[in-house]
Amino acid sequence: MKKFVKLAALAAAAVMGASSLAGCGSDDTLVMGTNAAFPPFEYTTTNGLVDEFDGIDVAIAKKIAESMGKQLTIEDMEFDGLVASVSTGKVDMAVAGMTVTPERLENVDFSDPYYVATQVMVVAADDDTITKAEDLKNGKKVGVVLGYTGDTIVTETLQIPEENIVRANRGIDVVQDVKNGKLDAVVLDSATGKALAENNGLKVVEDPEVFESEEYAIAVQKGNTELLDQINEVLSEMTANGEIEALAEKYDGAAAE
Ligand code: ARG
């Protein structure tokens, strides 16, 4: 899958273990902050009584913790609060399909990118009125998730009037509103949008001219180069040995409600 960024140059040299004691937080745990409503990157599976976390990001984070000889702990929270949680040290890192943006870079540092995504529009299967992003400006009711890059694009780039925007806390909520006819479209990240569209009998419309490519990376507290270096080593090794691609295949379409 070419969406995964090749970190080829660094990859061959990546040997884990040298800095196995790097990192912050307590001695034996590494705390990952995320918002587990973003399949296939992070989602909860209800196995037994306790919700368990799974997905591409969860698997990557486990590897990072393992490389440091630590136990991974997951703090599930609203996406909108993640950057603050990282910058105040409440969590060690945010692994959340998080797009690198100039605004976020003011508050946190980002690892090397590990995935390239874009925004897509999720619309009814029989919709023929939305074929490009500009069509959303024709009085369409548009759903987004609060604080996602899709929210910024709909609000600032496309300048959809506020009264036509519905902001939810989870992608599935607004996608269901497209299904039941309350909304005309949802603007959401490509992999998640495709998975949710497929599982709800909806379709995806792309518009690469307006929706540019976005890079997902892991956020750490500003200046925490020790943890950042460790993360980058693991990412480059997982890229080099094909593990990240294998995860993408394994989780393709996973757990989309
Ligand atoms: N890539 C988008 C952003 O950075 C959405 C990420 C949503 N991730 C999540 N775990 N809910 O804004």
Side-chain angles (χ1 to χ4, degrees), residues 32-39 41-43 57 76-80 82 95-101 104 110 117-119 145-152 169-171 188-190 192 214-217:
M32 158 185 175
T34 197
N35 167 259
F38 198 62
F41 291 91
E42 44 267 332
Y43 55 93
D57 284 340
D76 190 15
M77 62 184 82
E78 282 184 7
F79 185 79
D80 221 20
L82 278 171
V95 195
M98 188 180 279
T99 304
V100 180
T101 68
R104 292 172 183 162
F110 278 103
T118 186
Q119 299 296 307
V145 184
L146 184 72
Y148 282 19
T149 41
D151 184 1
T152 314
N169 278 319
R170 302 184 311 160
L188 195 60
D189 295 58
S190 39
T192 309
E214 301 183 13
E215 292 183 327
Y216 292 175

Side-chain angles (χ1 to χ4, degrees), residues 151-227:
D151 184 1
T152 314
I153 292 167
V154 165
T155 311
E156 291 170 20
T157 313
L158 291 170
Q159 301 202 317
I160 302 295
E162 276 300 311
E163 69 265 25
N164 287 343
I165 304 177
V166 170
R167 292 188 180 84
N169 278 319
R170 302 184 311 160
I172 184 68
D173 298 332
V174 265
V175 164
Q176 262 156 7
D177 280 349
V178 173
K179 196 175 176 179
N180 63 35
K182 286 191 200 149
L183 289 173
D184 299 303
V186 162
V187 175
L188 195 60
D189 295 58
S190 39
T192 309
K194 277 176 193 159
L196 294 180
E198 258 168 41
N199 285 21
N200 287 282
L202 305 169
K203 70 175 179 188
V204 152
V205 178
E206 304 186 43
D207 185 346
E209 288 190 11
V210 173
F211 303 126
E212 293 172 354
S213 64
E214 301 183 13
E215 292 183 327
Y216 292 175
I218 297 174
V220 303
Q221 197 170 38
K222 263 190 176 300
N224 191 354
T225 48
E226 218 181 337
L227 178 58

